[in-house]
Amino acid sequence: AQSVTQLDSQVPVFEEAPVELRCNYSSSVSVYLFWYVQYPNQGLQLLLKYLSGSTLVKGINGFEAEFNKSQTSFHLRKPSVHISDTAEYFCAVSARNDYKLSFGAGTTVTVRA
Amino acid sequence: NAGVTQTPKFQVLKTGQSMTLQCAQDMNHNSMYWYRQDPGMGLRLIYYSASEGTTDKGEVPNGYNVSRLNKREFSLRLESAAPSQTSVYFCAGGTSWNEQFFGPGTRLTVL
């Protein structure tokens, strides 16, 4: 089975500052990796995904993530955040031969002016 | 395209009442999912359907049943609601590489 640990439950950050959200996963097989964002009172929206190939993945809204197989990590970064990036962010992992996603507990990002 | 739709958006039940949450997708996904979201616990899988005609238990199936009515529709039923089932419920459709597309959610309160 796969599992995900998001290392920070809350991340406060000032507008235009960079942010990094940390995600570690556990799996004995090859995986797909995802980051989702959830704005207040909404469903989850895909930010980016790693399926194969380049380990640096670019997503929507200026976010990017790097897959590190040796450290089993998939950290999310944005070089300059906006107020509108205030949301909850979820890392998720799936085995390549499975139908199920395993989610981390989430990281709440609060951007302040 | 509406994507994934869920009804109702909000519901209040009394303990012991039953209800069905409806989900439909127009994205031609073979797989569909029901999750519940509780504070600090992320999303937990209740049931999923890998394809039309099949359903399987997820991480927290107790107290729930599902029906994959056709390729588009996947419903979740609470036969006898309990306060522990107070939660936000999300339905999703998934691709073959497990990219999942979520509905807007149903906020359920059981008194």
Side-chain angles (χ1 to χ4, degrees), chain A residues 32 34 36 38 41 43-44 46 49 51 90 94 98-101 103-105, chain B residues 33 35 37 40-43 45 48 50 90 97-100 102-104 107:
Chain A
Y32 299 131
F34 305 86
Y36 284 86
Q38 184 180 32
N41 300 313
L44 277 71
L46 183 71
K49 59 183 180 281
L51 303 182
F90 293 95
S94 170
D98 197 2
Y99 290 99
K100 301 187 295 294
L101 278 179
F103 285 86
Chain B
Y33 305 82
Y35 294 91
Q37 184 179 27
M41 302 189 74
L43 273 76
L45 183 65
Y48 69 102
F90 288 101
W97 56 91
N98 245 335
E99 179 177 348
Q100 295 186 13
F102 288 81
R107 191 173 297 271

Side-chain angles (χ1 to χ4, degrees), chain B residues 1-6 23-29 72 101-104:
Chain B
N1 286 352
V4 180
T5 57
Q6 294 183 234
C23 174
Q25 53 101 2
D26 61 4
M27 306 174 80
N28 203 34
H29 290 148
R72 292 188 62 249
F101 296 82
F102 288 81

Side-chain angles (χ1 to χ4, degrees), chain A residues 2 39 107:
Chain A
Q2 290 67 48
Y39 300 105
T107 299

Side-chain angles (χ1 to χ4, degrees), chain A residues 6-79:
Chain A
Q6 292 184 240
L7 298 165
D8 307 290
S9 60
Q10 304 214 16
V11 174
V13 59
F14 286 107
E15 194 175 18
E16 299 183 8
V19 70
E20 179 181 76
L21 308 185
R22 297 178 293 167
C23 172
N24 288 347
Y25 70 91
S26 172
S27 177
S28 58
V29 299
S30 295
V31 296
Y32 299 131
L33 291 157
F34 305 86
W35 274 100
Y36 284 86
V37 60
Q38 184 180 32
Y39 300 105
N41 300 313
Q42 294 188 25
L44 277 71
Q45 177 183 355
L46 183 71
L47 272 178
L48 48 78
K49 59 183 180 281
Y50 172 78
L51 303 182
S52 65
S54 173
T55 57
L56 183 62
V57 178
K58 294 190 184 298
I60 63 171
N61 299 341
F63 284 93
E64 64 180 32
E66 185 152 21
F67 170 54
N68 188 319
K69 188 175 180 179
S70 63
Q71 297 188 6
T72 61
S73 67
F74 190 53
H75 300 334
L76 180 72
R77 301 183 184 95
K78 184 170 183 178

Side-chain angles (χ1 to χ4, degrees), chain B residues 10-36:
Chain B
F10 301 94
Q11 184 72 50
V12 179
L13 294 177
K14 295 180 180 178
T15 297
Q17 287 185 317
S18 63
M19 78 161 296
T20 300
L21 281 63
Q22 306 286 354
C23 174
Q25 53 101 2
D26 61 4
M27 306 174 80
N28 203 34
H29 290 148
N30 285 324
S31 55
M32 295 186 73
Y33 305 82
W34 277 105
Y35 294 91
R36 61 177 289 171

